[in-house]
Amino acid sequence: MELSKQEKKELLKKWKAEQNKKYLLNKTKVRQLFRFLQKELDKEPCDHTLKKTAQWVGAHCPPDKLEPLLQEMRDMGGFCDCEVLLNCYERYEIE
């Protein structure tokens, strides 16, 4: 099935918006979060929640950013701490 011209335009628009997306955490904070999660998950396996991620965000970001940050990670496929590491890493473009 071939996409219509309008559908192609919409997909291109969406792709461009993704490329210019501003994330709520800067790269330094993202690296700190990922290091924290890796260390914590090495000690104790993921319990399939965002408990450790929320703990880090609560300690390093203003309280009003907690839910928006967790939602941003869910939007990237991070529904638990290990998924934040696995799915959000590339989206944040950490190198």
Side-chain angles (χ1 to χ4, degrees), residues 21-37:
K21 180 165 176 52
K22 299 286 183 210
Y23 294 105
L24 296 172
L25 290 178
N26 64 40
K27 287 190 183 228
T28 300
K29 287 201 182 252
V30 169
R31 285 185 190 105
Q32 292 170 353
L33 169 61
F34 288 161
R35 279 194 293 267
F36 170 79
L37 288 175

Side-chain angles (χ1 to χ4, degrees), residues 23 27 30 72-73 76 88-94:
Y23 294 105
K27 287 190 183 228
V30 169
E72 181 175 271
M73 291 176 197
M76 289 188 255
C88 300
Y89 189 85
E90 287 184 17
R91 295 290 291 273
Y92 277 120
E93 298 178 0
I94 302 302

Side-chain angles (χ1 to χ4, degrees), residues 73-85:
M73 291 176 197
R74 285 184 203 105
D75 291 345
M76 289 188 255
F79 295 96
C80 65
D81 295 323
C82 68
E83 288 181 343
V84 168
L85 277 176

Side-chain angles (χ1 to χ4, degrees), residues 15-16 19 28 49 62 87:
W15 179 82
K16 285 182 179 180
Q19 299 306 306
T28 300
T49 70
N87 298 336

